[in-house]
Amino acid sequence: MKYIVLLALIVACESYNILVLLPYPGKSHHMVFEPLLDELTTRGHNLTVVSFFPSTKVNKNRRDVSLVEFARLNVEIVDLQTCDCTPNFLLKFIHHVQTVHSFTKASVELCEKLINSQVFEEFVKAEGNYDVILVEHFNSDCMLGLVHNYGLPSVGLMSCTLMPWTPSWIGGDDNPATFPSMMQPFTEDMTFMEMVENFIDIMFNKYWHSYYVGIKERSMLEARLGRTLPSLNEVAGNTSVVLVNTYHALNGVRVLPPSVIEVGGIHLHNRSIKPLPSDIEEWVIESRHGAILFSFGSLIKGSTMPRKQLEAILKVFARLPQRIVWKWEGDTIKNLPDNIMIKRWLPQFDILNHPNCVAFITHGGLLSLTEAVALGVPALIIPVLGDQPGNAAYAKRAGIAEVLPFSEINEYNLYAAMVKVLSPEMSARARSFSELWWDRPLSPMDTAIYYIEKTAKYGRLNMTSHARLLNKPQLLLFYNMEFIVLFVCFLSISLAIYRCCCKTKRVKVKQN
């Protein structure tokens, strides 16, 4: 009966033609979007999906355009031997500048490859009868040029927290005193020096992205399209809705226009729990004190860990009564304690859902952290790069995780952190927080679908702030203040002249 009802709903709903542009070769990003794409086709919409991860399923409502040939997939590419482990802000910032330059340079080069390829010919010519465009907002603005080329309403997709430049695109508040950068280990409650660090981080990233990425990609797009384009920031500001993979209960409160819609946990929609492989199931269920999952996700190659940190971790694990399941991509570890199982690949969500899983050691990637929160599993977060420090800070503030910087891993610090994570108090807080996190008026998926269909139905939605059209001097009332300053100067000069005249007059009176 339920299938008949579902079929009736699909037939009843209006079907839209949707173009999806996902130009980033990161697997974790695509894992957020794929359930949304599946749900859109299930509800009867027709999709053309341009991505590095074409679907292997046969679906008459979906056409995939593969970008696999244009770039290496970002899977297990981060080497922990070369990560920035210094606590010094200046050295960290220099390393950050180098990383950002390398990252953005690769993005600009990829943009040039894509827009000049035969694969993109139809999109450059604006072919296809589409109602709305879904486009990823991340480190490249390249696809925004194609959005403008079609002249269609668009919906932004973000698999991570807000980038430093996103609020200014849509007229949101990006005050560094209250808006912590995703790349800093801060929440809104910052000390003065943390605010200074945050200010430097946000200003650098905003202007680097605007001038290095925005201007270069705009120039390439204009050459390819044969016409002048507006600023890509302006195109981004015309986005009807931005769907962000966050939820304020975990990721903090932001002062933003209604165009920013939080859909944190959308990748868990209708996620089925699969039985664990027999060897892992046996290992986990037979552990009398529970099991701990240890994984650094899909981007970081955990087996590149420096010997200093590796030895500390092995010593601590040997002291714990729990069994550990560890995602390790290399060869067998020498002198591996008896309570550790290593696997090149792990069904992370299924292990976290196991009733005998008592803790999660993670890098703090948003997908991994979201899964731990959704399933009520306390975590030890060892942030390495990107948004992981910020994610970790908010999880710690919620009382559901401990944070240990990679540079501070030693036997004492790691053991002390694990004792806290494994405590009954933190376990209870994690379960309680999970209930709060799930308790929403609509599911993340239903929320996302609603706004996509609304944009397709009505065209561009006026949900962003007018502040996006003003520059900083205008936002700070400098044009109005100019009159005030001139008026104050005039009064001051007039008063000074008056006093001077009065003084001169008094002197003459005395002389007489």
Side-chain angles (χ1 to χ4, degrees), residues 465-510:
S465 167
H466 183 73
R468 76 185 191 278
L469 303 176
L470 305 179
N471 56 38
K472 275 296 179 187
Q474 291 171 320
L475 284 171
L476 296 173
L477 294 177
F478 278 3
Y479 291 157
N480 293 344
M481 287 174 66
E482 182 179 7
F483 170 77
I484 296 172
V485 170
L486 289 173
F487 183 69
V488 170
C489 289
F490 172 77
L491 285 179
S492 300
I493 293 170
S494 300
L495 183 60
I497 293 172
Y498 173 77
R499 286 179 175 175
C500 184
C501 291
C502 289
K503 185 177 180 181
T504 304
K505 188 175 182 180
R506 283 196 300 270
V507 170
K508 287 182 179 180
V509 169
K510 287 182 179 180

Side-chain angles (χ1 to χ4, degrees), residues 208-490:
W208 183 278
H209 183 84
S210 179
Y211 291 109
Y212 189 91
V213 177
I215 291 177
K216 287 196 172 186
E217 291 185 340
R218 177 185 177 185
S219 176
M220 290 188 299
L221 285 161
E222 287 180 336
R224 182 69 177 91
L225 298 174
R227 58 193 176 94
T228 303
L229 295 177
S231 160
L232 296 180
N233 290 357
E234 182 182 333
V235 178
N238 290 330
T239 299
S240 293
V241 174
V242 181
L243 302 176
V244 188
N245 187 31
T246 60
Y247 186 59
H248 57 269
L250 172 65
N251 305 103
V253 176
R254 303 283 186 269
V255 181
L256 295 165
S259 58
V260 179
I261 307 298
E262 293 192 302
V263 292
I266 192 171
H267 74 289
L268 302 178
H269 177 71
N270 287 343
R271 184 77 171 265
S272 59
I273 308 299
K274 300 175 183 176
L276 297 179
S278 57
D279 56 340
I280 298 178
E281 171 70 25
E282 184 178 343
W283 178 261
V284 170
I285 203 167
E286 290 182 359
S287 181
R288 288 169 38 193
H289 299 280
I292 299 169
L293 173 61
F294 183 12
S295 172
F296 273 152
S298 63
L299 187 63
I300 300 169
K301 193 170 184 178
S303 58
T304 61
M305 189 174 301
R307 177 149 294 280
K308 175 187 173 183
Q309 282 86 353
L310 178 60
E311 289 179 351
I313 289 171
L314 291 175
K315 287 178 181 178
V316 170
F317 284 177
R319 295 171 61 183
L320 297 177
Q322 290 82 13
R323 286 182 174 180
I324 292 89
V325 187
W326 188 348
K327 180 181 178 289
W328 181 267
E329 305 84 5
D331 299 328
T332 302
I333 303 172
K334 293 181 180 179
N335 303 317
L336 191 71
D338 293 337
N339 65 333
I340 300 176
M341 169 188 280
I342 60 172
K343 290 282 186 181
R344 181 171 181 80
W345 174 86
L346 290 172
Q348 178 173 291
F349 185 75
D350 302 322
I351 295 176
L352 287 172
N353 190 70
H354 197 284
N356 221 25
C357 182
V358 295
F360 183 26
I361 303 174
T362 172
H363 60 312
L366 194 53
L367 268 69
S368 293
L369 181 58
T370 297
E371 290 177 8
V373 169
L375 297 172
V377 179
L380 169 63
I381 304 177
I382 305 173
V384 176
L385 77 167
D387 63 340
Q388 296 160 18
N391 297 338
Y394 279 103
K396 182 174 182 179
R397 187 178 74 170
I400 60 174
E402 280 296 308
V403 180
L404 181 60
F406 192 80
S407 60
E408 297 178 17
I409 293 179
N410 58 46
E411 186 176 356
Y412 175 81
N413 289 342
L414 181 57
Y415 185 77
M418 287 306 303
V419 168
K420 292 179 182 178
V421 171
L422 293 167
S423 67
E425 294 80 12
M426 186 169 288
S427 180
R429 283 197 300 270
R431 290 193 298 271
S432 176
F433 188 81
S434 178
E435 294 179 10
L436 170 67
W437 186 85
W438 277 114
D439 195 354
R440 312 182 202 183
L442 280 176
S443 72
M445 183 61 74
D446 287 336
T447 302
I449 297 291
Y450 169 77
Y451 281 101
I452 291 171
E453 291 179 343
K454 185 175 182 180
T455 302
K457 182 176 181 179
Y458 295 105
R460 196 176 81 79
L461 306 177
N462 186 21
M463 295 172 62
T464 52
S465 167
H466 183 73
R468 76 185 191 278
L469 303 176
L470 305 179
N471 56 38
K472 275 296 179 187
Q474 291 171 320
L475 284 171
L476 296 173
L477 294 177
F478 278 3
Y479 291 157
N480 293 344
M481 287 174 66
E482 182 179 7
F483 170 77
I484 296 172
V485 170
L486 289 173
F487 183 69
V488 170
C489 289
F490 172 77

Side-chain angles (χ1 to χ4, degrees), residues 87-286:
N88 182 282
F89 173 73
L90 181 59
L91 294 177
K92 237 162 78 173
F93 182 72
I94 292 172
H95 184 271
H96 176 67
V97 170
Q98 294 170 337
T99 303
V100 170
H101 173 68
S102 175
F103 202 49
T104 51
K105 182 181 177 184
S107 299
V108 171
E109 290 174 351
L110 177 58
C111 173
E112 186 172 23
K113 284 183 184 178
L114 292 178
I115 62 174
N116 289 292
S117 69
Q118 191 61 38
V119 170
F120 264 76
E121 190 67 24
E122 64 176 285
F123 309 113
V124 170
K125 293 179 179 178
E127 296 175 352
N129 184 27
Y130 300 110
D131 300 296
V132 65
I133 300 177
L134 309 188
V135 58
E136 181 174 9
H137 288 191
F138 186 49
N139 62 305
S140 171
D141 301 340
C142 189
M143 297 300 106
L144 295 174
L146 298 182
V147 170
H148 180 76
N149 193 39
Y150 274 95
L152 293 172
S154 68
V155 172
L157 304 177
M158 296 192 69
S159 65
C160 57
T161 55
L162 293 173
M163 306 298 285
W165 49 85
T166 306
S168 60
W169 279 0
I170 53 179
D173 181 18
D174 61 353
N175 187 336
T178 56
F179 182 86
S181 168
M182 64 185 291
M183 288 163 276
Q184 291 293 336
F186 308 143
T187 64
E188 303 95 328
D189 186 19
M190 291 177 275
T191 65
F192 174 74
M193 287 309 300
E194 287 174 344
M195 288 182 188
V196 171
E197 288 185 35
N198 190 54
F199 171 80
I200 294 171
D201 183 286
I202 287 180
M203 290 302 106
F204 166 74
N205 281 286
K206 277 181 66 174
Y207 290 107
W208 183 278
H209 183 84
S210 179
Y211 291 109
Y212 189 91
V213 177
I215 291 177
K216 287 196 172 186
E217 291 185 340
R218 177 185 177 185
S219 176
M220 290 188 299
L221 285 161
E222 287 180 336
R224 182 69 177 91
L225 298 174
R227 58 193 176 94
T228 303
L229 295 177
S231 160
L232 296 180
N233 290 357
E234 182 182 333
V235 178
N238 290 330
T239 299
S240 293
V241 174
V242 181
L243 302 176
V244 188
N245 187 31
T246 60
Y247 186 59
H248 57 269
L250 172 65
N251 305 103
V253 176
R254 303 283 186 269
V255 181
L256 295 165
S259 58
V260 179
I261 307 298
E262 293 192 302
V263 292
I266 192 171
H267 74 289
L268 302 178
H269 177 71
N270 287 343
R271 184 77 171 265
S272 59
I273 308 299
K274 300 175 183 176
L276 297 179
S278 57
D279 56 340
I280 298 178
E281 171 70 25
E282 184 178 343
W283 178 261
V284 170
I285 203 167
E286 290 182 359

